[in-house]
Amino acid sequence: MTIGASLLSEFDREMANTRKILECVPSEKFAWRPDEKSSTLGKLANHLAALPTWAAVIINGQAKKMPEAASQAELLEALDKNVATGREALAGASDDDLAIAMPALSMTRAAVLRGRMMNHMIHHRGQLSVYLRLLGVAVPGMYGQSANEK
């Protein structure tokens, strides 16, 4: 299996999990935050929806400002569009492309995709699950059943 195929398989699983949790974000709570130092629910959810485009940025250098979703429907629409953009970049990358070093990070593109994009997304999904629990929203399982699904 090529590096790209391995990363693409992981990308698809993580994006499906991200969509699952973003489907739980209530539009009417976008302005809520657990404390004054934390991001709002909407800002955190928008960040998660934008993260898949990092694959295109890492591979192709394509960066653009993302409009902020103001509702769950807009959030899911943005996620789906961003997943398609990231997936296209990753699917088109050869192993040679993914082995290119990113000197500023002292890592290859493949390592940056996993460590700086996918792991970053997993981290923020964990934060989002805490936000949702504090709001009394049922949380879906990511790697098995959640307490709400048992």
Side-chain angles (χ1 to χ4, degrees), residues 26-148:
S27 297
E28 69 276 6
K29 297 288 187 180
F30 268 39
W32 182 86
R33 66 176 74 212
D35 62 56
E36 71 280 347
K37 293 180 184 175
S38 297
S39 293
T40 65
L41 177 68
K43 187 161 185 74
L44 179 57
N46 270 282
H47 182 55
L48 273 165
L51 278 170
T53 62
W54 287 18
V57 173
I58 292 163
I59 295 165
N60 302 323
Q62 301 171 347
K64 62 180 179 179
K65 178 78 172 134
M66 299 287 166
E68 260 204 36
S71 69
Q72 183 197 68
E74 289 177 13
L75 189 66
L76 294 174
E77 183 180 331
L79 174 71
D80 292 343
K81 180 180 173 192
N82 295 337
V83 166
T85 298
R87 191 177 201 294
E88 180 181 4
L90 187 52
S94 69
D95 282 358
D96 287 343
D97 293 330
L98 296 172
I100 293 172
M102 297 186 77
L105 299 172
S106 300
M107 296 156 69
T108 64
R109 285 178 174 167
V112 173
L113 282 163
R114 180 168 285 125
R116 298 290 173 104
M117 188 198 70
M118 287 193 254
N119 291 350
H120 187 91
M121 178 172 275
I122 292 165
H123 161 76
H124 285 306
R125 280 196 327 240
Q127 284 182 304
L128 182 58
S129 70
V130 172
Y131 278 38
L132 294 174
R133 286 228 186 264
L134 290 171
L135 288 168
V137 175
V139 176
M142 297 289 107
Y143 305 108
Q145 288 185 326
S146 73
N148 296 109

